[in-house]
Amino acid sequence: MLGLMQNQPLLISSLIDFAERHHGEGEIVSRRVEGDIHRYTYKEVAQRSRQVANALDAMKLQFGDRVATIAWNGYRHLELYFGISGSGRVLHTINPRMHPDQITWVANHSEDQVVFFDMSFLPIVKAIHARCPTVKQWVALCDADKLPADSGIPNLASYEALISVQPSAYTWPQFDENTASSMCYTSGTTGNPKAALYSHRSTILHAYAAALPDVMCLSARDSILPVVPMFHVNAWGIPYSAAMTGAKLVFPGPGMDGKSVYELIESERVTYAAGVPTVWQMLLSHMQPAGLRFSTLKRTVIGGSACPPAMITAFNDQYGVEVLHAWGMTEMSPLGTLCTLKNKHLTMSEEDKMKIRLKQGRAIFGVDMKIVNADGAELPWDGKAYGDLLVKGPWVVANYYKGEGGDPLVDGWFPTGDVATIDAEGYMQITDRSKDVIKSGGEWISSIDIENIAVAHPAVAMAACIGMRHPKWDERPIVAVVKKPGMDVTREELLAFYEGKTAKWQIPDDVVFLDAIPMGATGKMQKAKLREVLKDYKLPGL
Ligand code: ADP
């Protein structure tokens, strides 16, 4: 017997309709590429996203056509999120930190018809436009008078000119909720990038889940600063969850440095912020020497890479800001787990609470997870056994776009490529990417643990641990370190700092000081590149 409830498809257009009707006066504040601060409301987002939809119709774009953006977090990007997906086209967010050749590759692979870009990325567009034959129209996110006269880009339009001639009335089409809504390419550390193709249904379910109290806990009383980019995995779904809850949105635009982020947090009374650890490191480095304080910030969600304990402690103890550690990936829309405490943890000592906060957290309702050994046998949830982490759920990929890379699933589960433990309470902790685990004398050493100890040293800004070939032990860890400006630490001092903090055999064999650690397009350390940098390196004594 079927239920007798209305079968209304879950569509992204309904989010902006809802925000307009119920939170029409809710504010959206953006630091613009133009340098000023722009301020308007959900009502205007809704009107202008309908103008975007009309403009795409006027360009004769078909249902399902891919429309790309190369843009910072800002109000025009938000309008494109709703206008493109809402009208049945597929929003392809391009990560501008990729190499121009890779950007060309993804634009051709997805067969983008139109590309909207921020003026900061004009040099990229100049470099690639001639190699993107599917693109009919390039649109700069600016006023008509800001368009460069001599760009050499045929079919270049200004966004404001393009949408201003369109009516703000538009009836959002109704269609199957499983229709593709947006896509995001993984960074392609092995082979060509592969794209996750999200659907309206997966996006709405993810938006509901992300807003839950034990996940991001978003509401109409929040002022949210997503520093996590809208050009990669939909800024962790925040644009959708914000419209669903009516939260105020504060967009940093190109200003990701500590000073700009701090100023926005204070001036816009931000209560909640989201970003990768490197961004928060820049913010803390700006605040600490100047003795600055937060007046409104309550919570910050940190993910994308392991959040070092020293950062959690700094936010918590010095600033009274709760850190929520999060884990996910492009293939998961991206949220998988978030670390929030249970009632029984509240009476624990700060030290014990910290042990929990360091974990990547509990599965969000909708995500199933398990850990398995090399034979695929499931491992116990005891917080000790570690194995390959597999996931499934309605916002986890079933296949990559165009079947790239073959069937990604194993018996219906998606292998994340991460190695993790899960404890009896369901808290998952990533010990490593499977390719980064250091195998020493038949035992595994977590590179994340070794890095976390190094960055707890006051003179260390960044640390990357990699395994080096060893004739007896197979591999031995070394740690590459970037010092904080004006601070000093010697190899011997840092190795001594490890004593008592980890088992003796896990202490790195050596410390290598570098000016910088290679970083990827999504703010993660690139260990393959680091290995290239250190290709002539030899372990001491060999
Ligand atoms: P990319 O940016 O390389 O395309 P993703 O953004 O999908 O890839 O990154 C997903 C990976 O990032 C995860 O599989 C995991 O290895 C790592 N990651 C994400 N969050 C965390 C976290 N909180 N702690 C440790 N690793 C994390």
Side-chain angles (χ1 to χ4, degrees):
M1 185 165 38
L2 289 177
L4 292 172
M5 309 311 282
Q6 297 181 9
N7 190 7
Q8 198 173 307
L10 303 173
L11 299 179
I12 286 171
S13 53
S14 67
L15 293 173
I16 195 60
D17 272 353
F18 176 86
E20 180 180 32
R21 175 163 291 247
H22 298 275
H23 303 282
E25 301 307 312
E27 268 189 303
I28 315 292
V29 179
S30 312
R31 189 189 290 282
R32 303 203 303 170
V33 172
E34 290 89 332
D36 56 352
I37 299 279
H38 175 273
R39 193 178 290 278
Y40 73 165
T41 63
Y42 274 117
K43 192 168 173 196
E44 287 157 289
V45 182
Q47 280 170 356
R48 284 167 53 97
S49 51
R50 291 193 292 267
Q51 288 178 292
V52 169
N54 278 319
L56 300 177
D57 284 2
M59 285 185 230
K60 303 269 180 287
L61 290 198
Q62 302 299 306
F63 191 77
D65 274 350
R66 271 74 64 210
V67 177
T69 57
I70 315 179
W72 301 112
N73 291 8
Y75 66 105
R76 292 176 178 131
H77 206 174
L78 187 67
E79 295 158 6
L80 291 164
Y81 261 52
F82 293 112
I84 295 170
S85 304
S87 66
R89 282 89 188 195
V90 180
L91 167 75
H92 171 205
T93 52
I94 295 182
N95 185 340
R97 296 193 181 120
M98 292 193 297
H99 188 275
D101 289 346
Q102 230 177 7
I103 296 182
T104 311
W105 191 92
V106 299
N108 285 320
H109 189 256
S110 60
E111 300 163 70
D112 295 329
Q113 304 286 305
V114 183
V115 179
F116 292 87
F117 64 95
D118 265 330
M119 285 301 275
S120 336
F121 305 122
L122 183 64
I124 296 180
V125 173
K126 280 186 176 168
I128 67 168
H129 72 90
R131 289 182 281 155
C132 298
T134 61
V135 179
K136 297 195 274 223
Q137 179 82 60
W138 298 88
V139 186
L141 296 170
C142 64
D143 289 320
D145 61 356
K146 298 272 178 351
L147 261 195
D150 50 355
S151 70
I153 303 163
N155 300 329
L156 178 64
S158 111
Y159 179 75
E160 295 300 335
L162 189 85
I163 69 166
S164 63
V165 294
Q166 296 297 334
S168 61
Y170 184 83
T171 308
W172 297 113
Q174 297 295 301
F175 43 79
D176 184 339
E177 64 186 18
N178 290 299
T179 303
S181 58
S182 67
M183 64 196 297
C184 179
Y185 282 82
T186 61
S187 37
T189 37
T190 49
N192 278 327
K194 299 190 285 278
L197 187 62
Y198 311 116
S199 69
H200 284 258
R201 173 186 156 82
S202 71
T203 305
I204 299 273
L205 292 177
H206 181 271
Y208 269 119
L212 283 172
D214 267 4
V215 186
M216 294 210 247
C217 190
L218 304 181
S219 82
R221 294 168 297 287
D222 277 311
S223 169
I224 309 176
L225 175 79
V227 187
V228 45
M230 290 166 79
F231 58 66
H232 190 61
V233 283
N234 303 328
W236 299 350
I238 289 173
Y240 306 114
S241 297
M244 180 179 271
T245 55
K248 170 176 173 178
L249 274 171
V250 182
F251 289 126
M256 315 270 214
D257 59 288
K259 182 169 180 286
S260 308
V261 168
Y262 177 75
E263 281 171 7
L264 265 192
I265 291 177
E266 286 304 295
S267 62
E268 297 308 323
R269 304 191 60 75
V270 168
T271 55
Y272 182 79
V276 296
T278 29
V279 165
W280 301 132
Q281 190 53 55
M282 289 193 282
L283 177 64
L284 291 175
S285 309
H286 169 70
M287 293 178 66
Q288 278 161 340
L292 299 171
R293 311 289 307 165
F294 292 119
S295 6
T296 52
L297 189 69
K298 295 277 174 305
R299 287 166 298 136
T300 168
V301 58
I302 304 186
S305 309
C307 179
M311 186 174 284
I312 301 186
T313 315
F315 270 111
N316 195 60
D317 299 359
Q318 293 175 28
Y319 298 104
V321 173
E322 186 181 12
V323 169
L324 307 172
H325 201 183
W327 167 84
M329 57 198 310
T330 306
E331 288 88 340
M332 300 179 71
S333 303
L335 294 178
T337 63
L338 232 106
C339 196
T340 45
L341 301 182
K342 294 184 181 178
N343 191 38
K344 64 192 282 193
H345 299 136
L346 298 180
T347 50
M348 280 181 165
S349 67
E350 281 306 314
E351 205 183 335
D352 286 342
K353 277 188 200 160
M354 182 69 176
K355 285 188 194 137
I356 300 170
R357 288 190 205 282
L358 271 180
K359 301 192 177 198
Q360 276 72 7
R362 293 183 274 133
I364 301 167
F365 171 77
V367 173
D368 267 348
M369 53 184 191
K370 66 174 180 178
I371 41 174
V372 301
N373 66 15
D375 303 324
E378 209 170 329
L379 294 167
W381 289 24
D382 60 7
K384 294 192 183 71
Y386 51 84
D388 292 319
L389 177 65
L390 284 83
V391 291
K392 63 178 183 176
W395 57 81
V396 178
V397 286
N399 256 306
Y400 288 104
Y401 177 60
K402 293 187 173 170
E404 218 53 58
D407 181 1
L409 304 190
V410 179
D411 296 332
W413 291 80
F414 177 77
T416 62
D418 287 324
V419 176
T421 61
I422 306 177
D423 69 18
E425 301 274 350
Y427 286 83
M428 184 276 287
Q429 183 158 28
I430 303 275
T431 51
D432 238 319
R433 284 301 281 172
S434 50
K435 60 183 186 320
D436 295 336
V437 178
I438 295 142
K439 296 164 190 103
S440 175
E443 296 287 341
W444 286 13
I445 300 173
S446 153
S447 65
I448 295 178
D449 287 351
I450 303 302
E451 288 155 9
N452 279 345
I453 296 174
V455 293
H457 189 284
V460 173
M462 215 185 227
C465 172
I466 54 172
M468 286 286 172
R469 286 250 141 260
H470 191 282
K472 180 169 175 199
W473 302 110
D474 205 9
E475 280 183 339
R476 286 297 301 154
I478 65 160
V479 63
V481 162
V482 180
K483 289 185 229 174
K484 285 189 187 155
M487 306 279 269
D488 209 10
V489 57
T490 64
R491 171 186 183 275
E492 286 64 34
E493 281 162 356
L494 193 60
L495 292 179
F497 186 70
Y498 274 91
E499 275 165 34
K501 297 189 177 74
T502 186
K504 265 207 154 22
W505 61 273
Q506 298 190 335
I507 296 179
D509 279 11
D510 202 4
V511 179
V512 182
F513 293 101
L514 297 176
D515 292 335
I517 287 170
M519 299 297 281
T522 58
K524 293 186 196 1
M525 295 190 286
Q526 287 194 306
K527 295 202 177 168
K529 282 243 168 75
L530 178 61
R531 284 197 182 89
E532 274 170 37
V533 172
L534 299 176
K535 65 180 184 314
D536 298 326
Y537 171 87
K538 287 212 168 29
L539 279 169
L542 291 186

